[in-house]
Amino acid sequence: MIYNGYELFNVAETIERADGFIVLRRYPESVVTRMSVPEFDERGNQIAEHIGHRTIARASVGVEVRFVSDSDRIGFTVDCEQSASVAVYSGDWQVAFYTTEGGKRDLQAARHGNMHGVSAQACNRFSPKLWRIAITAGAPVAIKVDPVDRRAPTAADLPAVTALAYGTSITQGVGTPLVGFGYIDVAARILGWQVKNKAIGGGCFCETAVQDYLCGEAFDVGYFELATNIANRPYDVIDARVGRLIDTVCRTFPDKKLYFMTPVKGMSDVSATAPDYRGYFANAKRIITEHTRPFANAVLLDGHALVGKDYYLSHDILHPSAFGHVMMGAQLAEMIASSF
């Protein structure tokens, strides 16, 4: 999205406030209000409709404010009811990291003079004069950037390949405290891509509204990690939702490479005291495998191979640790590079 001389990356919708701030939303509200999944008791009877994941869908996760400027110093203010993680980059080059408390926080970043001598060959994905303010929080974030001579980036300033990612909290990046260091982000850096991360922590339920929204996005390659959140639902519910999403995106984008990850190793795969998800994961893997098989553009990836070492996980034996995310990102890049 281009907005007033900025690119708002991974932002689907903005809210303009009277005080000059803009709220960054990665899902449209019209999609969020249609997110839900049935809950069942031990006998398989539906007992409720779960909508709790709408909160994280409204949060500013993996969003960026981008602009090209010769100015070596920028200032901006973020406003969030919770703490927010903010990283500032000059192209690919890290400038600053911040963790803010709830409320408004004035921040500044200064590009080192040594950046002026960096050649284009030394860069990876982005123009070195492209300022990138990357933000992740558990709630919506509003931002106001101090005035500076700027322009929105063009194709020459950006990666040639944009990946679209949808999945669970694992793909959202839960487990790493650093913005842009989730495993999908690490893989994108290695591959030279940028990634629109639409993963929803605790909320990858493949609703029709989400499916239709994803199919309306512009991207070059797709990545889908669909199993963990929905795995403990009845088989027919998983098949109806996950299977439908796989069929739809594969038919909608026959010329795009689409990667589908089987259940990521964790829980009872590793710990004898974790909930027993072996049967749930087996069902989900079967559904993902069966629905990807007919499509030449679908590539099936092994979620156990992705994790590699058990100790890449955090103490909940579900989410990767910060180190685990980096190692899994390198592994994912290797898995994708062999078939892209």
Side-chain angles (χ1 to χ4, degrees), residues 144-189:
K144 182 165 67 173
V145 181
D146 296 347
V148 65
D149 289 338
R150 67 181 185 278
R151 65 169 173 83
T154 64
D157 302 304
L158 302 170
V161 175
T162 298
L164 177 69
Y166 176 62
T168 71
S169 56
I170 299 169
T171 298
Q172 181 182 298
V174 171
T176 179
L178 301 176
V179 182
F181 280 86
Y183 81 93
I184 191 69
D185 305 298
V186 172
R189 291 185 189 214

mmCIF file of all heavy atoms in Angstrom, residues 144-189:
data_model
loop_
_atom_site.group_PDB
_atom_site.id
_atom_site.type_symbol
_atom_site.label_atom_id
_atom_site.label_comp_id
_atom_site.label_asym_id
_atom_site.label_seq_id
_atom_site.Cartn_x
_atom_site.Cartn_y
_atom_site.Cartn_z
ATOM 1 N N LYS A 144 3.363 7.848 13.644
ATOM 2 C CA LYS A 144 3.479 9.144 12.973
ATOM 3 C C LYS A 144 4.953 9.403 12.752
ATOM 4 O O LYS A 144 5.745 9.387 13.703
ATOM 5 C CB LYS A 144 2.847 10.261 13.811
ATOM 6 C CG LYS A 144 2.910 11.633 13.125
ATOM 7 C CD LYS A 144 1.977 12.645 13.765
ATOM 8 C CE LYS A 144 2.388 13.009 15.164
ATOM 9 N NZ LYS A 144 1.549 14.124 15.718
ATOM 10 N N VAL A 145 5.343 9.611 11.494
ATOM 11 C CA VAL A 145 6.744 9.812 11.137
ATOM 12 C C VAL A 145 7.008 11.308 11.007
ATOM 13 O O VAL A 145 6.227 12.036 10.390
ATOM 14 C CB VAL A 145 7.087 9.089 9.819
ATOM 15 C CG1 VAL A 145 8.554 9.279 9.462
ATOM 16 C CG2 VAL A 145 6.754 7.607 9.921
ATOM 17 N N ASP A 146 8.120 11.764 11.582
ATOM 18 C CA ASP A 146 8.477 13.174 11.478
ATOM 19 C C ASP A 146 8.729 13.540 10.016
ATOM 20 O O ASP A 146 9.270 12.722 9.254
ATOM 21 C CB ASP A 146 9.742 13.461 12.292
ATOM 22 C CG ASP A 146 9.542 13.244 13.777
ATOM 23 O OD1 ASP A 146 8.374 13.121 14.219
ATOM 24 O OD2 ASP A 146 10.553 13.188 14.506
ATOM 25 N N PRO A 147 8.371 14.750 9.601
ATOM 26 C CA PRO A 147 8.542 15.155 8.201
ATOM 27 C C PRO A 147 10.000 15.068 7.754
ATOM 28 O O PRO A 147 10.922 15.455 8.479
ATOM 29 C CB PRO A 147 8.054 16.607 8.183
ATOM 30 C CG PRO A 147 7.145 16.719 9.363
ATOM 31 C CD PRO A 147 7.728 15.809 10.403
ATOM 32 N N VAL A 148 10.213 14.553 6.545
ATOM 33 C CA VAL A 148 11.537 14.441 5.951
ATOM 34 C C VAL A 148 11.340 14.325 4.441
ATOM 35 O O VAL A 148 10.324 13.799 3.978
ATOM 36 C CB VAL A 148 12.288 13.219 6.519
ATOM 37 C CG1 VAL A 148 11.612 11.920 6.123
ATOM 38 C CG2 VAL A 148 13.746 13.214 6.088
ATOM 39 N N ASP A 149 12.294 14.843 3.654
ATOM 40 C CA ASP A 149 12.220 14.660 2.205
ATOM 41 C C ASP A 149 12.254 13.172 1.901
ATOM 42 O O ASP A 149 13.163 12.453 2.349
ATOM 43 C CB ASP A 149 13.390 15.367 1.519
ATOM 44 C CG ASP A 149 13.262 16.887 1.552
ATOM 45 O OD1 ASP A 149 12.122 17.375 1.716
ATOM 46 O OD2 ASP A 149 14.289 17.569 1.430
ATOM 47 N N ARG A 150 11.295 12.708 1.127
ATOM 48 C CA ARG A 150 11.165 11.267 0.931
ATOM 49 C C ARG A 150 10.398 10.977 -0.353
ATOM 50 O O ARG A 150 9.772 11.860 -0.938
ATOM 51 C CB ARG A 150 10.406 10.634 2.102
ATOM 52 C CG ARG A 150 8.947 11.067 2.153
ATOM 53 C CD ARG A 150 8.180 10.483 3.310
ATOM 54 N NE ARG A 150 6.770 10.829 3.237
ATOM 55 C CZ ARG A 150 6.246 11.979 3.637
ATOM 56 N NH1 ARG A 150 7.034 12.915 4.170
ATOM 57 N NH2 ARG A 150 4.958 12.208 3.521
ATOM 58 N N ARG A 151 10.443 9.728 -0.744
ATOM 59 C CA ARG A 151 9.583 9.196 -1.799
ATOM 60 C C ARG A 151 9.277 7.754 -1.462
ATOM 61 O O ARG A 151 10.031 7.089 -0.720
ATOM 62 C CB ARG A 151 10.229 9.298 -3.171
ATOM 63 C CG ARG A 151 11.477 8.452 -3.345
ATOM 64 C CD ARG A 151 11.916 8.372 -4.794
ATOM 65 N NE ARG A 151 13.194 7.692 -4.946
ATOM 66 C CZ ARG A 151 13.333 6.362 -4.991
ATOM 67 N NH1 ARG A 151 12.270 5.561 -4.872
ATOM 68 N NH2 ARG A 151 14.536 5.815 -5.146
ATOM 69 N N ALA A 152 8.188 7.270 -1.997
ATOM 70 C CA ALA A 152 7.870 5.856 -1.828
ATOM 71 C C ALA A 152 8.836 5.016 -2.655
ATOM 72 O O ALA A 152 9.301 5.453 -3.714
ATOM 73 C CB ALA A 152 6.433 5.585 -2.257
ATOM 74 N N PRO A 153 9.186 3.828 -2.202
ATOM 75 C CA PRO A 153 10.105 2.990 -2.977
ATOM 76 C C PRO A 153 9.492 2.536 -4.289
ATOM 77 O O PRO A 153 8.270 2.394 -4.415
ATOM 78 C CB PRO A 153 10.361 1.799 -2.047
ATOM 79 C CG PRO A 153 9.188 1.761 -1.126
ATOM 80 C CD PRO A 153 8.773 3.182 -0.944
ATOM 81 N N THR A 154 10.349 2.316 -5.268
ATOM 82 C CA THR A 154 9.951 1.727 -6.547
ATOM 83 C C THR A 154 10.493 0.307 -6.608
ATOM 84 O O THR A 154 11.199 -0.158 -5.699
ATOM 85 C CB THR A 154 10.492 2.546 -7.715
ATOM 86 O OG1 THR A 154 11.935 2.504 -7.684
ATOM 87 C CG2 THR A 154 10.026 4.008 -7.621
ATOM 88 N N ALA A 155 10.207 -0.382 -7.694
ATOM 89 C CA ALA A 155 10.652 -1.772 -7.836
ATOM 90 C C ALA A 155 12.159 -1.898 -7.711
ATOM 91 O O ALA A 155 12.679 -2.906 -7.207
ATOM 92 C CB ALA A 155 10.173 -2.333 -9.172
ATOM 93 N N ALA A 156 12.910 -0.884 -8.144
ATOM 94 C CA ALA A 156 14.371 -0.937 -8.091
ATOM 95 C C ALA A 156 14.900 -0.942 -6.662
ATOM 96 O O ALA A 156 16.039 -1.352 -6.421
ATOM 97 C CB ALA A 156 14.960 0.242 -8.863
ATOM 98 N N ASP A 157 14.088 -0.487 -5.710
ATOM 99 C CA ASP A 157 14.509 -0.421 -4.305
ATOM 100 C C ASP A 157 14.162 -1.679 -3.528
ATOM 101 O O ASP A 157 14.570 -1.815 -2.370
ATOM 102 C CB ASP A 157 13.822 0.760 -3.601
ATOM 103 C CG ASP A 157 14.112 2.083 -4.275
ATOM 104 O OD1 ASP A 157 15.307 2.409 -4.428
ATOM 105 O OD2 ASP A 157 13.144 2.771 -4.652
ATOM 106 N N LEU A 158 13.416 -2.588 -4.147
ATOM 107 C CA LEU A 158 12.790 -3.689 -3.414
ATOM 108 C C LEU A 158 13.198 -5.046 -3.971
ATOM 109 O O LEU A 158 13.686 -5.141 -5.105
ATOM 110 C CB LEU A 158 11.258 -3.548 -3.506
ATOM 111 C CG LEU A 158 10.664 -2.246 -2.976
ATOM 112 C CD1 LEU A 158 9.187 -2.148 -3.354
ATOM 113 C CD2 LEU A 158 10.843 -2.155 -1.466
ATOM 114 N N PRO A 159 12.989 -6.124 -3.209
ATOM 115 C CA PRO A 159 13.259 -7.468 -3.712
ATOM 116 C C PRO A 159 12.388 -7.794 -4.923
ATOM 117 O O PRO A 159 11.270 -7.299 -5.058
ATOM 118 C CB PRO A 159 12.907 -8.379 -2.530
ATOM 119 C CG PRO A 159 12.981 -7.502 -1.331
ATOM 120 C CD PRO A 159 12.547 -6.149 -1.801
ATOM 121 N N ALA A 160 12.913 -8.650 -5.787
ATOM 122 C CA ALA A 160 12.167 -9.045 -6.984
ATOM 123 C C ALA A 160 11.056 -10.035 -6.666
ATOM 124 O O ALA A 160 10.090 -10.166 -7.428
ATOM 125 C CB ALA A 160 13.123 -9.649 -8.012
ATOM 126 N N VAL A 161 11.181 -10.740 -5.528
ATOM 127 C CA VAL A 161 10.212 -11.786 -5.181
ATOM 128 C C VAL A 161 9.526 -11.440 -3.864
ATOM 129 O O VAL A 161 10.180 -11.138 -2.863
ATOM 130 C CB VAL A 161 10.908 -13.167 -5.051
ATOM 131 C CG1 VAL A 161 9.914 -14.231 -4.578
ATOM 132 C CG2 VAL A 161 11.532 -13.568 -6.384
ATOM 133 N N THR A 162 8.195 -11.486 -3.888
ATOM 134 C CA THR A 162 7.380 -11.306 -2.689
ATOM 135 C C THR A 162 6.702 -12.622 -2.353
ATOM 136 O O THR A 162 5.993 -13.194 -3.192
ATOM 137 C CB THR A 162 6.314 -10.220 -2.891
ATOM 138 O OG1 THR A 162 6.955 -8.971 -3.151
ATOM 139 C CG2 THR A 162 5.431 -10.089 -1.657
ATOM 140 N N ALA A 163 6.932 -13.113 -1.145
ATOM 141 C CA ALA A 163 6.272 -14.327 -0.677
ATOM 142 C C ALA A 163 5.069 -13.950 0.179
ATOM 143 O O ALA A 163 5.092 -12.954 0.898
ATOM 144 C CB ALA A 163 7.230 -15.183 0.133
ATOM 145 N N LEU A 164 4.024 -14.744 0.086
ATOM 146 C CA LEU A 164 2.850 -14.616 0.940
ATOM 147 C C LEU A 164 2.836 -15.802 1.884
ATOM 148 O O LEU A 164 2.883 -16.955 1.437
ATOM 149 C CB LEU A 164 1.572 -14.600 0.102
ATOM 150 C CG LEU A 164 0.254 -14.551 0.878
ATOM 151 C CD1 LEU A 164 0.080 -13.198 1.565
ATOM 152 C CD2 LEU A 164 -0.932 -14.845 -0.038
ATOM 153 N N ALA A 165 2.808 -15.539 3.192
ATOM 154 C CA ALA A 165 2.839 -16.613 4.185
ATOM 155 C C ALA A 165 1.576 -16.583 5.027
ATOM 156 O O ALA A 165 1.128 -15.518 5.463
ATOM 157 C CB ALA A 165 4.063 -16.482 5.087
ATOM 158 N N TYR A 166 1.016 -17.764 5.276
ATOM 159 C CA TYR A 166 -0.143 -17.909 6.158
ATOM 160 C C TYR A 166 0.096 -19.135 7.024
ATOM 161 O O TYR A 166 0.535 -20.185 6.545
ATOM 162 C CB TYR A 166 -1.421 -18.074 5.337
ATOM 163 C CG TYR A 166 -2.665 -18.338 6.165
ATOM 164 C CD1 TYR A 166 -3.120 -17.411 7.092
ATOM 165 C CD2 TYR A 166 -3.386 -19.521 6.006
ATOM 166 C CE1 TYR A 166 -4.260 -17.644 7.849
ATOM 167 C CE2 TYR A 166 -4.539 -19.759 6.747
ATOM 168 C CZ TYR A 166 -4.975 -18.827 7.668
ATOM 169 O OH TYR A 166 -6.101 -19.067 8.417
ATOM 170 N N GLY A 167 -0.167 -18.989 8.323
ATOM 171 C CA GLY A 167 0.052 -20.115 9.208
ATOM 172 C C GLY A 167 -0.306 -19.783 10.634
ATOM 173 O O GLY A 167 -1.126 -18.895 10.905
ATOM 174 N N THR A 168 0.326 -20.483 11.558
ATOM 175 C CA THR A 168 0.026 -20.393 12.979
ATOM 176 C C THR A 168 1.012 -19.444 13.659
ATOM 177 O O THR A 168 1.781 -18.741 13.011
ATOM 178 C CB THR A 168 0.128 -21.786 13.617
ATOM 179 O OG1 THR A 168 1.512 -22.184 13.658
ATOM 180 C CG2 THR A 168 -0.658 -22.832 12.812
ATOM 181 N N SER A 169 1.002 -19.457 14.991
ATOM 182 C CA SER A 169 1.931 -18.615 15.750
ATOM 183 C C SER A 169 3.383 -18.947 15.439
ATOM 184 O O SER A 169 4.272 -18.089 15.581
ATOM 185 C CB SER A 169 1.677 -18.781 17.253
ATOM 186 O OG SER A 169 1.764 -20.148 17.629
ATOM 187 N N ILE A 170 3.658 -20.165 15.018
ATOM 188 C CA ILE A 170 5.024 -20.559 14.678
ATOM 189 C C ILE A 170 5.517 -19.714 13.509
ATOM 190 O O ILE A 170 6.615 -19.152 13.543
ATOM 191 C CB ILE A 170 5.089 -22.066 14.353
ATOM 192 C CG1 ILE A 170 4.661 -22.891 15.571
ATOM 193 C CG2 ILE A 170 6.480 -22.471 13.885
ATOM 194 C CD1 ILE A 170 4.432 -24.369 15.278
ATOM 195 N N THR A 171 4.692 -19.597 12.486
ATOM 196 C CA THR A 171 5.056 -18.787 11.320
ATOM 197 C C THR A 171 4.924 -17.303 11.618
ATOM 198 O O THR A 171 5.659 -16.482 11.045
ATOM 199 C CB THR A 171 4.197 -19.189 10.115
ATOM 200 O OG1 THR A 171 4.453 -20.571 9.800
ATOM 201 C CG2 THR A 171 4.495 -18.345 8.897
ATOM 202 N N GLN A 172 4.022 -16.930 12.512
ATOM 203 C CA GLN A 172 3.921 -15.523 12.904
ATOM 204 C C GLN A 172 5.233 -15.041 13.526
ATOM 205 O O GLN A 172 5.573 -13.857 13.434
ATOM 206 C CB GLN A 172 2.783 -15.330 13.894
ATOM 207 C CG GLN A 172 2.588 -13.889 14.354
ATOM 208 C CD GLN A 172 1.479 -13.744 15.362
ATOM 209 O OE1 GLN A 172 0.324 -14.036 15.082
ATOM 210 N NE2 GLN A 172 1.836 -13.295 16.568
ATOM 211 N N GLY A 173 5.966 -15.949 14.165
ATOM 212 C CA GLY A 173 7.257 -15.593 14.756
ATOM 213 C C GLY A 173 7.290 -15.634 16.259
ATOM 214 O O GLY A 173 8.264 -15.165 16.876
ATOM 215 N N VAL A 174 6.251 -16.192 16.885
ATOM 216 C CA VAL A 174 6.245 -16.291 18.347
ATOM 217 C C VAL A 174 7.437 -17.132 18.803
ATOM 218 O O VAL A 174 7.703 -18.205 18.264
ATOM 219 C CB VAL A 174 4.917 -16.911 18.839
ATOM 220 C CG1 VAL A 174 4.990 -17.212 20.330
ATOM 221 C CG2 VAL A 174 3.754 -15.981 18.533
ATOM 222 N N GLY A 175 8.153 -16.624 19.774
ATOM 223 C CA GLY A 175 9.328 -17.303 20.295
ATOM 224 C C GLY A 175 10.605 -16.509 20.120
ATOM 225 O O GLY A 175 11.579 -16.734 20.834
ATOM 226 N N THR A 176 10.609 -15.583 19.164
ATOM 227 C CA THR A 176 11.777 -14.720 19.014
ATOM 228 C C THR A 176 11.409 -13.303 19.439
ATOM 229 O O THR A 176 10.333 -12.805 19.080
ATOM 230 C CB THR A 176 12.303 -14.709 17.570
ATOM 231 O OG1 THR A 176 13.427 -13.814 17.493
ATOM 232 C CG2 THR A 176 11.244 -14.267 16.575
ATOM 233 N N PRO A 177 12.254 -12.636 20.216
ATOM 234 C CA PRO A 177 11.935 -11.282 20.668
ATOM 235 C C PRO A 177 12.283 -10.207 19.643
ATOM 236 O O PRO A 177 11.977 -9.036 19.855
ATOM 237 C CB PRO A 177 12.803 -11.131 21.922
ATOM 238 C CG PRO A 177 13.999 -11.977 21.629
ATOM 239 C CD PRO A 177 13.483 -13.148 20.835
ATOM 240 N N LEU A 178 12.903 -10.587 18.532
ATOM 241 C CA LEU A 178 13.404 -9.612 17.574
ATOM 242 C C LEU A 178 12.527 -9.555 16.329
ATOM 243 O O LEU A 178 12.245 -10.594 15.714
ATOM 244 C CB LEU A 178 14.843 -9.956 17.171
ATOM 245 C CG LEU A 178 15.859 -10.000 18.313
ATOM 246 C CD1 LEU A 178 17.216 -10.439 17.790
ATOM 247 C CD2 LEU A 178 15.957 -8.631 18.992
ATOM 248 N N VAL A 179 12.114 -8.353 15.954
ATOM 249 C CA VAL A 179 11.315 -8.175 14.743
ATOM 250 C C VAL A 179 12.132 -8.625 13.534
ATOM 251 O O VAL A 179 13.300 -8.266 13.384
ATOM 252 C CB VAL A 179 10.928 -6.696 14.564
ATOM 253 C CG1 VAL A 179 10.051 -6.521 13.334
ATOM 254 C CG2 VAL A 179 10.227 -6.168 15.791
ATOM 255 N N GLY A 180 11.503 -9.405 12.668
ATOM 256 C CA GLY A 180 12.178 -9.824 11.450
ATOM 257 C C GLY A 180 13.088 -11.016 11.606
ATOM 258 O O GLY A 180 13.846 -11.350 10.692
ATOM 259 N N PHE A 181 13.024 -11.701 12.760
ATOM 260 C CA PHE A 181 13.851 -12.879 12.970
ATOM 261 C C PHE A 181 13.024 -14.142 13.202
ATOM 262 O O PHE A 181 13.543 -15.132 13.724
ATOM 263 C CB PHE A 181 14.834 -12.648 14.122
ATOM 264 C CG PHE A 181 16.046 -11.860 13.719
ATOM 265 C CD1 PHE A 181 16.011 -10.475 13.734
ATOM 266 C CD2 PHE A 181 17.195 -12.489 13.291
ATOM 267 C CE1 PHE A 181 17.112 -9.732 13.346
ATOM 268 C CE2 PHE A 181 18.308 -11.752 12.902
ATOM 269 C CZ PHE A 181 18.268 -10.373 12.932
ATOM 270 N N GLY A 182 11.751 -14.138 12.825
ATOM 271 C CA GLY A 182 11.005 -15.378 12.744
ATOM 272 C C GLY A 182 11.581 -16.239 11.628
ATOM 273 O O GLY A 182 12.241 -15.737 10.707
ATOM 274 N N TYR A 183 11.332 -17.523 11.671
ATOM 275 C CA TYR A 183 11.989 -18.412 10.707
ATOM 276 C C TYR A 183 11.618 -18.073 9.269
ATOM 277 O O TYR A 183 12.460 -18.175 8.356
ATOM 278 C CB TYR A 183 11.688 -19.884 11.029
ATOM 279 C CG TYR A 183 10.346 -20.395 10.554
ATOM 280 C CD1 TYR A 183 10.210 -21.015 9.321
ATOM 281 C CD2 TYR A 183 9.209 -20.268 11.348
ATOM 282 C CE1 TYR A 183 8.986 -21.491 8.880
ATOM 283 C CE2 TYR A 183 7.986 -20.735 10.922
ATOM 284 C CZ TYR A 183 7.872 -21.347 9.678
ATOM 285 O OH TYR A 183 6.643 -21.804 9.250
ATOM 286 N N ILE A 184 10.382 -17.627 9.033
ATOM 287 C CA ILE A 184 9.987 -17.283 7.664
ATOM 288 C C ILE A 184 10.730 -16.034 7.199
ATOM 289 O O ILE A 184 11.085 -15.901 6.023
ATOM 290 C CB ILE A 184 8.450 -17.107 7.568
ATOM 291 C CG1 ILE A 184 8.004 -17.016 6.097
ATOM 292 C CG2 ILE A 184 7.961 -15.906 8.351
ATOM 293 C CD1 ILE A 184 8.154 -18.285 5.328
ATOM 294 N N ASP A 185 10.999 -15.104 8.125
ATOM 295 C CA ASP A 185 11.757 -13.896 7.785
ATOM 296 C C ASP A 185 13.219 -14.228 7.506
ATOM 297 O O ASP A 185 13.832 -13.669 6.587
ATOM 298 C CB ASP A 185 11.665 -12.884 8.927
ATOM 299 C CG ASP A 185 10.243 -12.557 9.310
ATOM 300 O OD1 ASP A 185 9.515 -12.029 8.463
ATOM 301 O OD2 ASP A 185 9.854 -12.846 10.453
ATOM 302 N N VAL A 186 13.793 -15.115 8.311
ATOM 303 C CA VAL A 186 15.181 -15.524 8.099
ATOM 304 C C VAL A 186 15.322 -16.201 6.737
ATOM 305 O O VAL A 186 16.264 -15.917 5.973
ATOM 306 C CB VAL A 186 15.654 -16.459 9.230
ATOM 307 C CG1 VAL A 186 17.032 -17.035 8.920
ATOM 308 C CG2 VAL A 186 15.668 -15.719 10.554
ATOM 309 N N ALA A 187 14.390 -17.086 6.417
ATOM 310 C CA ALA A 187 14.426 -17.748 5.104
ATOM 311 C C ALA A 187 14.341 -16.733 3.976
ATOM 312 O O ALA A 187 15.059 -16.833 2.972
ATOM 313 C CB ALA A 187 13.286 -18.764 5.005
ATOM 314 N N ALA A 188 13.461 -15.737 4.140
ATOM 315 C CA ALA A 188 13.306 -14.719 3.106
ATOM 316 C C ALA A 188 14.602 -13.934 2.913
ATOM 317 O O ALA A 188 14.993 -13.618 1.779
ATOM 318 C CB ALA A 188 12.162 -13.775 3.467
ATOM 319 N N ARG A 189 15.292 -13.613 3.996
ATOM 320 C CA ARG A 189 16.571 -12.902 3.882
ATOM 321 C C ARG A 189 17.578 -13.722 3.085
ATOM 322 O O ARG A 189 18.275 -13.210 2.211
ATOM 323 C CB ARG A 189 17.144 -12.622 5.267
ATOM 324 C CG ARG A 189 16.385 -11.604 6.080
ATOM 325 C CD ARG A 189 17.113 -11.328 7.383
ATOM 326 N NE ARG A 189 16.299 -10.504 8.277
ATOM 327 C CZ ARG A 189 16.785 -9.605 9.112
ATOM 328 N NH1 ARG A 189 18.091 -9.412 9.159
ATOM 329 N NH2 ARG A 189 16.000 -8.904 9.899
#
